[in-house]
Amino acid sequence: MTTEALPQETSLRDRINTDSIGEGLLGLERFLRPNEGWLAASLLVLNLVVVVLSVEQADWAPSPNLVFLLFLAMITGLALYRLPVWSLVLVPVGLAVGLGVILWQLSMFTFDGASVGGAGQVIERLDLWLEAARTGSINIDRLPFSFGLMVATWLTGFLGAWLFLRFGNFWGVFVLGGIGLLSNLTFLPPNAAFHLGFYLFTAMLLVARVQAMRRKHEWELRAIKVDEHLGGLSFSDSFAVAVVVIVVAFLLPMAPRSGV
């Protein structure tokens, strides 16, 4: 082998490795791609992020970053939903992953300047709180409330992503998110209407996008030619309608309170 052939062989090997990595990433993207597309999945993320941000603003209890936890929960749902295994098997796996992540994050969190000190301390403090609740004694530890918020966040993210990705069900997402958002409305400042408005806005866009993609798939199954630009036009129209609806809804005068 000549010295001139060595650079050519190295270049060919690098190109093959690059092509293999690219093909692998494309294959992974096709495997994980939601049936309704990545745009619908992005709207789902925005919809649930609004809910979690409202929870953080309500400041129920100090806790690790709930938005980051929500992303981890949804990524877990994304990683599991395509596996050809019964949901009764995969859902407990996702919940177990969530418990591990929550214990990990809480174990490194700091309350009032004092570190929790490990997962063992988290479990012990939760046990003390449960014992106090069972016996009717007083426990002012804020860690159990943080744990509850994190569990609710994980359930919202994981189950919301699971229902949408696995079954194409967005109503379950709205139920989970709506419960969390409406629970916070009485605790948020007066300008918190932004959360409700943006939540409804993303919900309308999500419904419109999913319905448009499903109709497009139906037409394709019937061998009806579909314009490739139809999806973009449908989304732009839905965006305009949603903006008008939200603006009009928030500009309408409120009914006077009784007795005023």
Side-chain angles (χ1 to χ4, degrees):
M1 180 181 294
T2 63
T3 56
E4 295 179 355
L6 288 176
Q8 295 179 357
E9 182 179 350
T10 302
S11 176
L12 178 61
R13 188 186 307 115
D14 293 340
R15 186 165 62 252
I16 292 175
N17 291 337
T18 303
D19 293 342
S20 300
I21 294 174
E23 291 175 0
L25 291 176
L26 288 175
L28 179 63
E29 188 275 333
R30 286 192 295 268
F31 177 74
L32 295 177
R33 182 188 302 160
N35 295 329
E36 284 76 18
W38 290 111
L39 179 56
S42 300
L43 291 171
L44 171 71
V45 173
L46 286 176
N47 187 263
L48 293 181
V49 165
V50 173
V51 177
V52 173
L53 286 176
S54 73
V55 173
E56 287 191 331
Q57 187 175 350
D59 197 21
W60 291 66
S63 62
N65 192 313
L66 296 180
V67 174
F68 176 68
L69 182 66
L70 178 75
F71 282 137
L72 292 181
M74 300 189 76
I75 290 173
T76 302
L78 178 66
L80 294 178
Y81 92 100
R82 282 291 191 189
L83 298 180
V85 182
W86 287 351
S87 298
L88 291 177
V89 175
L90 290 179
V91 169
V93 172
L95 298 181
V97 172
L99 179 60
V101 171
I102 291 171
L103 291 177
W104 162 60
Q105 288 201 317
L106 271 180
S107 66
M108 299 186 300
F109 194 62
T110 300
F111 288 90
D112 299 325
S115 177
V116 172
Q121 285 294 318
V122 175
I123 296 174
E124 181 178 349
R125 290 167 68 170
L126 289 174
D127 184 63
L128 291 174
W129 184 85
L130 289 173
E131 180 65 20
R134 186 179 64 83
T135 59
S137 56
I138 298 176
N139 186 311
I140 60 173
D141 191 356
R142 291 186 290 179
L143 183 144
F145 294 98
S146 298
F147 179 81
L149 287 177
M150 297 179 74
V151 168
T153 300
W154 185 273
L155 290 176
T156 299
F158 175 71
L159 293 180
W162 180 266
L163 290 172
F164 180 75
L165 297 172
R166 184 92 167 189
F167 304 106
N169 186 332
F170 49 75
W171 296 114
V173 176
F174 297 154
V175 169
L176 291 170
I179 291 174
L181 185 64
L182 294 177
S183 299
N184 283 308
L185 288 181
T186 55
F187 294 92
L188 293 175
N191 60 352
F194 166 79
H195 295 92
L196 178 60
F198 197 73
Y199 174 80
L200 295 174
F201 177 70
T202 54
M204 286 189 289
L205 288 181
L206 178 59
V207 172
R209 180 63 179 178
V210 170
Q211 295 298 339
M213 293 303 296
R214 289 178 179 175
R215 183 60 57 86
K216 181 174 179 290
H217 292 159
E218 290 178 4
W219 289 344
E220 290 174 346
L221 290 175
R222 297 177 183 178
I224 300 176
K225 187 176 180 181
V226 179
D227 191 343
E228 292 298 328
H229 301 289
L230 180 63
L233 293 174
S234 174
F235 181 75
S236 62
D237 292 342
S238 303
F239 187 91
V241 171
V243 168
V244 172
V245 170
I246 293 297
V247 170
V248 171
F250 277 81
L251 289 180
L252 288 176
M254 297 180 61
R257 297 180 181 179
S258 59
V260 178

